[in-house]
């Protein structure tokens, strides 16, 4: 018997990857950072590769090395790298690394020397996100240094890449500006002798809305998990994660009773309260207090009072609710249950955060689908 669980449908992941691949001639990178957006990095990576992904993308070196230790041999790109990391271990494991500055490039050259093989590098250009990547002013020097290091046999430049700031708002003027800036940056690198196999800027939103930005490789993140990157659009994607728990206690209380910490919810009449054993230690946002939607007994109800570390309370009125009944926080929405999008709207965040919160918790993940 289970108390609370997160179920992940790997068939949904495969279907989503298949759908995304059908819309592009580029290769597809499955982004599995953040423990696969809370879905489990290794099972999701294998499902995506089954469906035709050819690349894996992560943030950290540790994530990349975990994929390698699990026996996954496809290309893996790691792109968030602090100074002083043992990059030579990544190079030895054939992990591709992202460089956005001369200092990072120097570290990768040295890592290649220590590993006894050239580091495989993607040069990142900042085209307008103002986050990672070399600025337009610094890009020529980075590209020139990379071209020299490649000519000396110290690195192999595998890719040139960037990231959109506003692709989730189709038609936003920054999108065209970033595509132009990326093309110009690629042209600068090519004039300096860098002609890598991969050019990539398209994230999930751009995969779905900007085929002109697909280039040689696209990076599927949130869409692979069945959640749309564009508010109000579904694109035929099927959410893969369901979070649910069993009611542990049901009791009648009179009108005027305060519920949970701080009594931010007061019962208006005699009612049935149900205690559901999931809280902010399990991924439920505390901002969902008096707001988070949960399906129980065929009806969607709002959390009554504050979210606690381990539990929430639902006001069920006169409905017949008993201990052991299943309360569904979110799922695919196919049976009337809330979705991650519903939760995001209720607490003022994005669907990415909702599912990722459930990634590293005490709640067990159960996998469904073929080869689960």
């Amino acid at each position: 018997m289970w108390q609370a669980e997160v179920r992940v449908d790997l068939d949904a992941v495969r279907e989503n990857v298949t759908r995304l691949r059908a819309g592009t001639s580029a290769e597809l990178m499955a982004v599995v950072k953040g423990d696969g957006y809370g879905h489990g990095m290794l099972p999701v990576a294998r499902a995506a590769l089954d469906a035709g992904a050819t690349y894996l993308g992560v943030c950290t070196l540790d994530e990349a090395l975990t994929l390698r230790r699990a026996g996954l041999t496809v290309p893996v790109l790691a792109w968030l790298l602090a100074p002083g990391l043992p990059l030579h271990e990544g190079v030895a494991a054939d992990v591709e690394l992202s460089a956005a500055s001369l200092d990072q490039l120097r570290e990768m050259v040295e890592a290649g020397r220590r590993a006894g093989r050239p580091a495989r590098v993607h040069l990142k250009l900042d085209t307008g996100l103002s986050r990672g990547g070399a600025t337009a002013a610094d890009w020529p020097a980075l590209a020139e240094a990379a071209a020299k290091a490649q000519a000396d046999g110290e690195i192999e430049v595998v890719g040139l890449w960037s990231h959109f700031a506003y692709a989730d708002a189709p038609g936003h003027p920054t999108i065209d500006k970033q595509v132009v800036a990326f093309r110009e940056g690629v042209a600068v690198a090519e004039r300096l002798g860098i002609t890598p196999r991969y050019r990539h800027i398209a994230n999930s939103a751009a995969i779905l809305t900007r085929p002109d930005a697909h280039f040689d490789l696209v990076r599927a993140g949130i869409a692979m998990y069945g959640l749309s990157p564009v508010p109000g659009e579904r694109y035929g994607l099927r959410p893969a994660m369901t979070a649910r728990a069993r009611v542990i206690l049901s009791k009648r209380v009179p009108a005027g009773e305060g519920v949970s910490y701080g009594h931010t919810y007061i019962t208006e009449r005699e009612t049935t309260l149900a205690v559901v054993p999931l809280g902010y230690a399990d991924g439920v946002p505390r901002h969902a207090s008096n707001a988070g939607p949960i399906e129980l007994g065929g009806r969607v109800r709002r959390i009554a009072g504050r979210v606690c570390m381990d539990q929430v309370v639902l006001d069920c009125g006169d409905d017949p609710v008993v201990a052991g009944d299943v309360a569904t926080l979110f799922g695919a929405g196919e049976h009337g249950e809330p979705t991650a999008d519903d939760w995001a709207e209720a607490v003022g965040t994005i669907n990415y955060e909702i599912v990722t919160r459930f990634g590293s918790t005490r709640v067990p993940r159960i996998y469904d689908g073929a080869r689960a």
Side-chain angles (χ1 to χ4, degrees):
M1 185 64 70
W2 55 275
Q3 174 164 298
E5 66 178 13
V6 169
R7 302 196 76 91
V8 177
D9 186 348
L10 295 178
D11 284 346
V13 173
R14 295 184 184 94
E15 289 174 19
N16 296 328
V17 171
T18 299
R19 181 176 292 274
L20 294 169
R21 285 186 61 241
T24 183
S25 59
E27 291 187 44
L28 187 140
M29 174 189 291
V31 179
V32 294
K33 63 180 182 176
D35 200 14
Y37 289 48
H39 294 68
M41 180 170 69
L42 293 175
V44 165
R46 293 187 176 105
L49 295 173
D50 284 347
T54 58
Y55 240 98
L56 296 173
V58 294
C59 274
T60 70
L61 180 62
D62 284 344
E63 288 174 322
L65 293 176
T66 297
L67 292 170
R68 286 290 185 252
R69 287 192 290 268
L72 299 178
T73 59
V74 299
V76 175
L77 172 63
W79 58 70
L80 202 63
L81 307 169
L85 292 176
L87 297 183
H88 62 284
E89 295 180 10
V91 175
D94 200 24
V95 172
E96 299 174 8
L97 308 172
S98 174
S101 70
L102 291 174
D103 285 343
Q104 286 184 326
L105 184 65
R106 292 187 192 102
E107 285 204 53
M108 289 167 198
V109 168
E110 178 58 29
R113 291 171 181 161
R114 289 189 63 182
R117 58 186 293 182
R120 292 169 59 83
V121 176
H122 292 238
L123 303 179
K124 188 173 186 182
L125 171 64
D126 179 4
T127 57
L129 183 59
S130 297
R131 197 177 63 178
T135 64
D138 293 336
W139 179 250
L142 176 62
E144 184 175 14
K148 182 180 185 305
Q150 180 167 257
D152 292 342
E154 294 181 314
I155 67 168
E156 178 186 355
V157 180
V158 179
L160 304 175
W161 75 297
S162 190
H163 195 52
F164 282 118
Y166 239 121
D168 56 347
H172 196 277
T174 60
I175 303 171
D176 286 339
K177 290 179 181 179
Q178 285 196 255
V179 171
V180 170
F182 185 61
R183 290 185 182 276
E184 291 174 348
V186 169
V188 168
E190 288 176 344
R191 286 196 295 270
L192 292 167
I194 296 176
T195 55
R197 178 175 177 181
Y198 297 106
R199 300 160 300 161
H200 53 109
I201 188 174
N203 55 2
S204 286
I207 295 172
L208 294 164
T209 66
R210 290 296 299 249
D212 62 314
H214 288 186
F215 293 96
D216 312 296
L217 179 68
V218 296
R219 305 188 302 269
I222 196 68
M224 183 174 75
Y225 303 95
L227 301 176
S228 174
V230 179
E233 301 290 344
R234 292 294 320 133
Y235 300 105
L237 302 169
R238 184 155 69 92
M241 181 185 286
T242 298
R244 60 183 192 163
R246 292 182 182 273
V247 172
I248 61 170
L249 179 66
S250 172
K251 61 185 179 182
R252 295 291 287 180
V253 300
E257 286 293 300
V259 178
S260 194
Y261 292 121
H263 285 183
T264 61
Y265 184 90
I266 307 294
T267 58
E268 296 180 352
R269 55 190 171 83
E270 184 181 10
T271 190
T272 297
L273 298 180
V275 180
V276 178
L278 284 172
Y280 56 78
D282 307 300
V284 181
R286 193 167 183 269
H287 281 82
S289 299
N290 291 308
I294 298 178
E295 185 275 324
L296 174 61
R299 292 182 56 186
V300 175
R301 312 166 194 275
R302 300 286 166 175
I303 292 172
R306 287 185 181 157
V307 174
C308 305
M309 182 180 290
D310 315 296
Q311 55 204 289
V312 296
V313 180
L314 300 178
D315 186 339
C316 301
D318 295 326
D319 292 343
V321 175
V322 298
D325 286 352
V326 176
T328 301
L329 279 73
F330 60 86
E334 297 171 348
H335 305 291
E337 75 277 18
T339 64
D341 290 307
D342 294 327
W343 271 78
E345 183 178 357
V347 302
T349 186
I350 55 176
N351 51 21
Y352 300 64
E353 183 181 357
I354 298 301
V355 292
T356 304
R357 278 176 172 271
F358 283 82
S360 301
T361 71
R362 58 190 166 184
V363 180
R365 271 193 304 241
I366 311 298
Y367 291 95
D368 297 315
R371 297 178 60 186

